[in-house]
Amino acid sequence: MGNSTKDGFRALLNEREDNEMEIFGYKTIPWRTALCIIGYIFSLGLLWLLFYWKPEWEVWARCDPCTLQEANVILLQTTDEFKQYSKKHVTWTHLSELKSLIGTSDQPIPGDRHSIINKAIVTPALKVKCVWVQKIKYIWLISEKKFQKVGALEDEYSCSELHSRFGSGLSREEQKLRRFVCGPNAIEVEVVPVWKLLFKEILNPFYIFQVASLSLWMAEGYIEYSIIIIIITLISIILTVYDLRQQSVKLNKLVESNNSTIVTVRMNDGAHEEVESRHLVPGDVIVLTGKRFFLPCDCILLRGSCIVNEGTLTGESIPVTKSPLDNIPNSVPWKIQSGEDFKRHVLFCGTEVIQSSSSSSSPVIAVVKQTGFNTAKGEMVRSILYPKPMNFKLYRDATRFLMCLVLIAFIGFIYSVVLFTVKGATVRDVIVKSLICVTVAIPPVLPAAVATAIMYAQKRLKKKKIFCLSPQRINVCGRINLVCFDKTGTLTEDGLDLWGVVPCTGNSFQNVHMFTKGNSLPWSPLLGAMACCHSLIILDGKIQGDPLDLKMFEGTDWELEDSCQSNMYDDTSTTSRLLIKPGPQSCSVPVKGMIILQQFPFSSSLQRMSVVSKVLGDEEHFVFMKGAPEMVTQFCLPESVPPNFASELQLYTLQGFRVIGLAYKTLQGFKDEGQDRYTREEVEFGLTFLGLLVLENRLKAETIPAIQELNNALIRPVMITGDNLQTAITVARNSGIVQNHGRVILIEASEATEHFSPSITWKEMENPKSDVHEMTEIDIEKCENTQAYHFAMTGKTYQVIVLNFSNLLPKLLLNGTIFARMSPGQKSSLIEEYQKMDYYVAMCGDGANDCGALKVAHAGISLSEQEASVASPFTSQIPNIQCIPQLIKEGRAALVSSFGVFKYVTLYAMIQFICLLLLYWQLKSVGLYQYLVQDVGITIIVSLTMTLTHAYPKLAPFRPPAQLISPPLLLSVIFNVLLNLAMQVCSIVILQQQPWYSSSNLRACAPAYENITNINTVSVSNGSSPEVLQGSEYENYETTTLWPITTISCVIVAFVFSKGKPFRKPIYTNYIFFVLLPIQLAACLFILFADFDRLYRALQLVCTPTIWRISILIMLVIYFIMSFIVEEAIIENRRLWLYLKRLFNYHSKSQYRVLYRMLEDDHSWPPVNLTQYAQTDNTETKTQVYSNEVYVNDEKPHNGMTE
């Protein structure tokens, strides 16, 4: 398959995207297909079942490799570590109905040079070759010989082309053509029929194995046992199908409203038509009428401005301003022209349009960018339908462990075949007995038992208002050892308190103006900037918007009105309808009010926002800017910036204040009504610096205890913020992220210039005396990752390091703690770099600018009021970081529970397996009701209840293991197996040496006056047939001896493996389990010592002397003592394993630990007050130039597939 050398046989689909796949072309061979069908019939469907599980085998069996152009079957393989295969059939979309629209081959097809539809139509047949992959349609481009995603507007269009090509709408002919090829604009998630869910569930390999096992059991006569297992299995299937059905219904309700919206579409003849949203196609122009509604597609705003609520996508219900795409006359693709901040022009599907506005003569219009599952909401739904599998050691090792059990089962199978053949058993007995041995060794209950631990943890998290979209990640949370935090709204309060403003007049800072009651700011450009430079709106009679904007505006004592009667010019933003005027509490000012004419919204990548405004009744236009002080000053006249700007800024940031820079200018030659709107480049230069706005950003009350808890648990906290570096450092110290004994080393990197190579500088910062919180209850000498120093850097520095100092990047990240002025793309890149160092990373943020980072992290937690945010796998309705320790505790408890139940089910299978092999040696077996008591009365109940134990309330300073194939776990399993094997073998050997033992006379229970040693003699000599009970396969001394041993052993290991502290609460807090376990033990002991003939006959046991039963009990007590002591003193003795590691010089192979040990002996690290330059010569010591794919390609389009 992979060795084919044919050109065009293979290619990449969705290159460099999360769902990248390798695609292979195949052609169906009829005679091969016929042979496969014959194979299905003669194998009674087993071959079909095998192909169902392994679709690639079916393709290789029925098809021959060919070029993708000739292929009628496509085989897809994911390019991640899982290498999962799937099969898709190539279909054709026939356009014969549109022949009158498309015309003959001599006539041009509606479209343009960028349209991929034109490149896909096969003429003269008028059809398009396509394939559907995960709800996305791909069409074959004939000239380019590749599959390309359809249903999205091509990214090659420039800004001017989007306006000229689509501004007036599509023709009806092109609409119909696109509708045929792209399909409906609908996110259709069917409510999966119950029969289909049931069918898929039953075809699970473990249920098939269960069916095969039950067939054998029934063939052997275990009818009642099989019926009960069938009932339990059916209950499990019904519950699973019900849960899947509920999820399907819930997802269907989530998307159904998206498919039935009525929108107004603008045609190229100027007409406006109302159509159903499912008929929209990429390139359509929709008219936003100003009414509130949910967008049915992704659009690019071409004219007018909108206020939208993106809470359904980000989890943050703060109004966001969208501005129109500028009509820039060049050929640069619009995304590249807009840069990282292109999303400010995009209206996303599923978000709510709150307000839209423009002049009365020109409506707000937007061109449809993406439809259906190509949209942002469609991508969210696809991520739920096709979740990315988790690469976690536990899941990988579980497969390997099962393979080991399969090997053991195969050995038992060979043993049984040889044994029963030698003993002269029938062929039927040889086959059935040998296969039963296999079913005992491989417990089908194992996956379900492990899944219960995750299910219970998910329910406990839900009670704590932490919701999970990806339950598999809960176990991963148990390994988290680094947590990244956003600052504003995460560590600190959402709301800011306005502390004061530092005016700047004549190139110098003035005294601080404090915003106390009755002390309003006098009229000046500074007051105008505070009153106008924001993105606030009036919604439902209330002023809403960013918390910072709200606090700033409240400090002016001005008012905001919903509309104004002043003349507006075209294409103004929503705020153009807002009148800002002095309030009753404000100072007397010489103006009646101000109007915002145009707005350039705030962008985290640009770190600023600007507005164009004018005084009411005046025609002069002003530009006001606010943003990061360092950024604002770059657009100001140098002579207007005070020389002590840096020291003044540092004065406030070192105290933890959030500082905003303000600037303004008067526009010369402003544009009149009817002229084009301003561009950002036209207004953002030559400004006059106005001063610094100082806001107090207080820590949340829960921040310090949560950070202290993480520090005590040796879990690294890292801050990633878009705020000022000095402010971030102060907050890090005050919150405890940087502890009292920690040094902060500032790293600054510069890009290459004409005369200098890229450089990096280390500078140690002073440690101001502040109220910081030290780590408690931890022996510092024992903390391997206790940090004596912390690196702090900005996003600009991080970018230079990533691109020019890749050899230093891991060293810097090892102690990197504070990252400020980070863009969303840089946040995602940073987390991926930490993951490359083998850290298990959690990210906690607000879900807006942190969306990318939340999805990339092992555990992303969005602080949102919504029950589930698509921004991250976890959502906490409690808006503080206490959710992080809670999630880690539950993750650790779930991980330990998974290990415990895994060990228990494995031991249960091995104990039964040993018992069966020993009985087979004597041609004996275990009885029907004996199996029933063991499997239903003990094992299933234990598996369902032993994982109910809650998480321990305190985080331990170490993590639970993540590997099943590890010395402690293997030693635990092997020791208990060998110990139980020894006990069972000894019991059989000792049994057969007893004077009353007989394979034929089973009446060993003698009256008190009768000598046990004479029983056999008396009975035989008298020839009394009633007293001579012939032994059977099930009723014999061997089975009667081994059954209580194996059954009570299952109860013992359940107790021994129910580990409590330090990751779970003690066993007695699991009330159900703690009550049921003694009941099970008491029932087993009752059966062992009871002398009820009816009970014994029902369980197919025979009576043995009381002294022998006491001997069995003594053996079990010895087994319990030895198992418990070894488990507690050796297996769970962390100090012992650490000692053994030191003794054998074993060290962790995690990249960050290897690097830590290397730097521990490097006395020159960290360098302080040193500058290093990247080498540009071609010597071997040249610094490697490194390109991070995630960073460089952040949010760039990668649709389609290339060969």
Side-chain angles (χ1 to χ4, degrees), residues 536-538 543 553 558-565 574-582 592 594 616:
L536 300 175
I537 64 169
I538 294 179
I543 300 177
F553 184 73
W558 282 38
E559 295 177 343
L560 200 62
E561 286 192 359
D562 197 10
S563 61
C564 61
Q565 303 300 323
T574 300
T575 49
S576 64
R577 294 176 178 265
L578 296 179
L579 169 64
I580 302 144
K581 64 179 184 180
K592 295 181 179 179
M594 300 190 72
L616 194 62

Side-chain angles (χ1 to χ4, degrees), residues 1054-1065:
F1055 177 81
V1056 171
F1057 291 160
S1058 296
K1059 179 67 178 172
K1061 190 178 177 181
F1063 304 116
R1064 298 195 300 174
K1065 288 183 178 180

Side-chain angles (χ1 to χ4, degrees), residues 1000-1019:
S1000 57
N1001 179 14
L1002 303 181
R1003 191 178 180 280
C1005 291
Y1009 56 82
E1010 190 174 356
N1011 188 347
I1012 291 178
T1013 58
N1014 297 328
I1015 290 177
N1016 289 340
T1017 305
V1018 172
S1019 299

Side-chain angles (χ1 to χ4, degrees), residues 358-508:
S358 72
S359 67
S360 58
S361 59
S362 300
V364 179
I365 61 171
V367 60
V368 176
K369 178 177 180 288
Q370 293 173 140
T371 58
F373 281 96
N374 292 288
T375 62
K377 186 172 182 178
E379 182 66 28
M380 176 268 289
V381 175
R382 288 202 311 125
S383 69
I384 298 173
L385 292 173
Y386 310 102
K388 192 175 181 180
M390 282 298 301
N391 182 17
F392 189 43
K393 291 178 182 178
L394 173 64
Y395 306 134
R396 296 199 306 267
D397 288 352
T399 304
R400 297 171 186 169
F401 211 89
L402 280 175
M403 291 302 103
C404 293
L405 293 179
V406 170
L407 179 61
I408 292 172
F410 179 73
I411 294 172
F413 177 81
I414 299 299
Y415 163 87
S416 303
V417 169
V418 173
L419 179 64
F420 282 102
T421 302
V422 171
K423 299 281 188 178
T426 64
V427 175
R428 185 254 182 205
D429 283 347
V430 171
I431 295 174
V432 172
K433 298 287 187 184
S434 301
L435 290 176
I436 283 179
C437 185
V438 172
T439 65
V440 169
I442 305 174
V445 73
L446 186 56
V450 174
T452 56
I454 300 175
M455 181 185 70
Y456 293 148
Q458 187 177 8
K459 288 185 176 180
R460 290 194 294 268
L461 286 171
K462 191 173 183 179
K463 288 181 179 178
K464 296 173 182 176
K465 297 190 179 299
I466 301 173
F467 301 92
C468 176
L469 288 178
S470 179
Q472 280 191 330
R473 291 180 184 255
I474 295 176
N475 270 338
V476 183
C477 294
R479 294 288 296 169
I480 295 297
N481 56 355
L482 186 146
V483 184
C484 298
F485 294 100
D486 182 32
K487 182 182 75 68
T488 306
T490 303
L491 296 173
T492 60
E493 296 285 356
D494 271 322
L496 301 168
D497 291 327
L498 190 60
W499 185 80
V501 64
V502 187
C504 175
T505 307
N507 196 19
S508 63

Side-chain angles (χ1 to χ4, degrees), residues 1075-1088:
V1075 170
L1076 285 175
L1077 211 60
I1079 292 175
Q1080 291 172 331
L1081 180 61
C1084 292
L1085 293 176
F1086 175 77
I1087 294 171
L1088 177 62

Side-chain angles (χ1 to χ4, degrees), residues 504 509 526 529 533 602-603 605-610 623-638 640-642 645 649 659-665 680 683-693 724 821:
C504 175
F509 284 111
L526 179 61
C533 198
F602 176 80
S603 162
S605 58
L606 299 178
Q607 300 179 1
R608 67 184 186 275
M609 76 163 291
S610 302
V623 176
F624 295 105
M625 176 188 287
K626 78 170 170 43
E630 309 93 328
M631 181 61 68
V632 170
T633 54
Q634 294 180 23
F635 297 90
C636 293
L637 298 170
S640 71
V641 181
F645 168 79
L649 176 61
V659 184
I660 303 296
L662 298 169
Y664 96 110
K665 78 170 183 179
R680 200 155 201 159
V683 299
E684 291 185 340
F685 72 94
L687 282 78
T688 299
F689 186 70
L690 290 176
L692 301 173
L693 184 70
N724 176 274
R821 298 297 187 208

